[in-house]
């Protein structure tokens, strides 16, 4: 009756607060780089939302960039509802990540519909990844976050 699927016949784990699945959705979204890209060559994204968890995948490619600065992927299908940052995996091609680059990750801040790409320095600290002017490249990301 529009209230969800009740799984109360199953056993309960300690701390369980609900056994009703009240939301399931799949779809597409169009990611973009906040701050300006001159010419996108492709942009695509898919998502699956089950309850309050969103799993996503995206791909953004461009042949020219009209602004230098930090890379922020925006346009996620839902704003983050988590009380803490959500981190997810990314793969980048042809992007200058600076010195001391070890691995890349991305962060969605609480309440945001965008995530900034980070490089993790040898010291363990995260530093924003930047796009050089007139650079081309590809970013692919996938992960999950809470809404």
């Amino acid at each position: 009756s529009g209230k969800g699927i009740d799984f109360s016949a199953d056993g309960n784990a300690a701390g369980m607060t609900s056994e009703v699945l009240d939301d399931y959705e799949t779809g597409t979204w169009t990611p973009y780089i906040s701050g300006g890209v001159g010419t996108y060559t492709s942009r695509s994204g898919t998502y699956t939302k089950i309850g309050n968890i969103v799993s996503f995948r995206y791909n953004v490619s461009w042949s020219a960039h009209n602004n230098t600065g930090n890379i922020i992927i925006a346009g996620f299908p839902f704003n983050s509802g988590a009380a803490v940052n959500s981190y997810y995996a990314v793969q980048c091609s042809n992007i200058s990540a600076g010195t001391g680059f070890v691995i890349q990750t991305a962060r969605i801040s609480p309440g945001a519909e965008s995530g900034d790409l980070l490089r993790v320095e040898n010291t363990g600290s995260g530093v924003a990844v930047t796009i050089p002017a007139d650079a081309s490249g590809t970013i692919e990301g996938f992960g999950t976050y809470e809404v």
Side-chain angles (χ1 to χ4, degrees):
S1 63
K3 296 185 182 183
I5 301 170
D6 188 345
F7 292 97
S8 60
D10 293 340
N12 297 333
M16 184 275 305
T17 59
S18 176
E19 293 182 320
V20 176
L21 174 61
D22 61 355
D23 192 10
Y24 177 85
E25 178 180 332
T26 62
T28 61
W29 60 289
T30 305
Y32 63 94
I33 298 176
S34 180
V37 165
T39 306
Y40 287 109
T41 55
S42 68
R43 298 186 296 158
S44 63
T46 59
Y47 72 90
T48 300
K49 181 177 183 278
I50 302 173
N52 67 341
I53 302 298
V54 177
S55 297
F56 65 89
R57 179 174 297 278
Y58 67 81
N59 179 297
V60 178
S61 295
W62 66 94
S63 61
H65 189 267
N66 59 10
N67 188 19
T68 58
N70 298 347
I71 300 174
I72 299 174
I73 300 295
F76 282 93
F78 303 95
N79 283 8
S80 171
V84 296
N85 292 325
S86 299
Y87 291 87
Y88 65 90
V90 294
Q91 178 178 350
C92 302
S93 302
N94 306 321
I95 299 172
S96 172
T99 58
F101 170 75
V102 178
I103 60 172
Q104 288 180 336
T105 188
R107 171 183 61 207
I108 303 173
S109 298
E113 60 83 42
S114 62
D116 50 340
L117 272 60
L118 304 172
R119 68 179 192 269
V120 178
E121 300 286 344
N122 294 328
T123 62
S125 62
V127 177
V129 177
T130 60
I131 299 178
D134 300 321
S136 63
T138 298
I139 301 171
E140 295 178 273
F142 62 92
T144 59
Y145 65 99
E146 185 178 346
V147 296

